[in-house]
Amino acid sequence: MPNVLLAGGAGYIGSHTAVELLESGYDVIVADNYSNSCPESIKRVEKITGKSVKSYEVDVKDVEKLSVIFEENKIDAVIHFAGLKAVGESVEKPVLYYRNNIDTTLALLECMKKYDVKNIIFSSSATVYGEENPVPYTEEMKRGTCTNPYGWTKVMMEQIFEDAAKADNEMSVVLLRYFNPIGAHESGLIGEDPQGIPNNLMPYVAQVAVGRRDHLTIFGNDYPTPDGTCRRDYIHVVDLAKGHVKAIDYVLKHKGVEVFNLGTGTPYSVTEIVETFQKANGITIKYEYGARRAGDLPESYANADKALKVLGWKTEKNLEDMCRDLWRWQSKNPMGYKG
Ligand code: NAD
Ligand code: UFG
């Protein structure tokens, strides 16, 4: 079976994707510097699947060290998850974000060229649709104007992949634009483990539920949406991971660049999701409404038709599943992988 290199594979989405690839018969190699993860997640992947994972502790920006992986293994395809992803931090530290996210991409492309690896999947984001495009987003819309450096790195990296593929007609690139991945593997063994105060909604909710935070502040209830709070396309991380298996099958058979939205196509508001979490788990979440957060769009959700038509992929899990699985992970691992 093909060998897939997961750059950033110890992280939240990478570890769930590793499970789905292994369970579909692929071999998996992980390259990660653990800047936002830890080796324990790989051990848990091995526990869930009963299969072993070869892993390298490496900064993916470092072409020389990255080359060792390509030298020692025959890689059939790469999935590039290795990036920094905190929107607010990217505003404070733009150079760090541009350096890390762009250089990891360039280093991977350089090694792929040197070792004649032609297939790559990139973790892009709905954020590339920017401020101008109307919802629901479709893949052929032009990339828009982002509100932060993190988003711009995704826009730039998509462009880099398009240019690389234009110059080499043997290349096969799939750009996956994720919407809002939440939840955890149903075993409760792997999940999202943010360092410090969570930036994203669901990890924050889970930490309130487990007693690590006092209450949730909902950022703004005066948006032009049905209940005044922002609406997002939340997708179960296991559905998202399964989308990568379909995308690997696709990238190995095709040439050129293809873009897919990975979302459910259905938006839920912040208030709806907090209420669903409470109901699904029988837990009360203390929350209050506060000021809007800078840079938030009122709505972001996918038109998910293309992934169904071309990849034969659609989401299978609902919002209750996402909330239940998130709570199973958080309650079994109140301090994340540390305990
Ligand atoms: P994550 O932080 O859990 O995983 C990223 C992994 O990359 C981490 O294990 C981190 O240690 C590693 N990494 C970062 N820089 C590295 C480097 N220079 N060398 C080696 N490893 C490095 O994040 P995630 O949620 O799993 O996201 C994976 C990818 O998907 C990221 O590119 C992110 O931007 C993108 N994405 C995530 C979301 C989301 O909401 N989680 C949404 C859209 C896109
Ligand atoms: N929110 C709160 N309180 C919180 C945290 C979030 O009310 O404590 C709200 C936000 O204001 C927003 C919604 O919950 O309305 C979702 O916020 P997240 O931070 O969870 O997600 P975003 O949609 O802002 O951003 C996510 C990823 C980005 C990615 C973007 C588009 O974090 O990386 O989706 O894909 F770019």
Side-chain angles (χ1 to χ4, degrees), residues 125 127 150 178 180 200-201 217-219 230 232 293 296:
S125 166
T127 197
Y150 163 77
Y178 309 156
N180 288 57
N200 299 116
L201 176 65
T217 301
I218 295 182
F219 300 139
C230 293
R232 295 287 180 271
R293 182 173 72 177
D296 277 344

Side-chain angles (χ1 to χ4, degrees), residues 107-121:
L108 282 168
L109 284 169
E110 280 175 17
C111 284
M112 287 172 65
K113 192 169 173 58
K114 190 166 157 205
Y115 293 91
D116 205 30
V117 177
K118 298 294 184 186
N119 309 308
I120 185 158
I121 294 173

Side-chain angles (χ1 to χ4, degrees), residues 193-206:
D193 182 20
Q195 310 301 306
I197 301 170
N199 303 299
N200 299 116
L201 176 65
M202 291 317 279
Y204 203 102
V205 168

Side-chain angles (χ1 to χ4, degrees), residues 42-71:
I42 305 296
K43 290 202 190 111
R44 305 266 183 109
V45 167
E46 291 178 324
K47 193 166 171 193
I48 292 167
T49 60
K51 297 189 178 169
S52 68
V53 176
K54 200 165 172 182
S55 58
Y56 291 82
E57 181 167 355
V58 62
D59 187 328
V60 173
K61 299 196 291 296
D62 186 332
V63 181
E64 268 177 40
K65 294 211 174 102
L66 192 60
S67 295
V68 174
I69 304 176
F70 285 79
E71 196 73 56

Side-chain angles (χ1 to χ4, degrees), residues 145-197:
T145 306
C146 293
T147 55
N148 58 78
Y150 163 77
W152 283 119
T153 68
K154 294 293 182 197
V155 169
M156 290 174 191
M157 291 185 284
E158 285 201 357
Q159 184 68 49
I160 290 168
F161 281 114
E162 286 174 0
D163 291 340
K166 213 180 279 170
D168 177 354
N169 54 23
E170 287 300 302
M171 265 193 92
S172 176
V173 176
V174 167
L175 306 175
L176 296 179
R177 293 179 180 158
Y178 309 156
F179 282 73
N180 288 57
I182 60 167
H185 190 264
E186 63 174 18
S187 63
L189 286 170
I190 55 172
E192 191 168 11
D193 182 20
Q195 310 301 306
I197 301 170

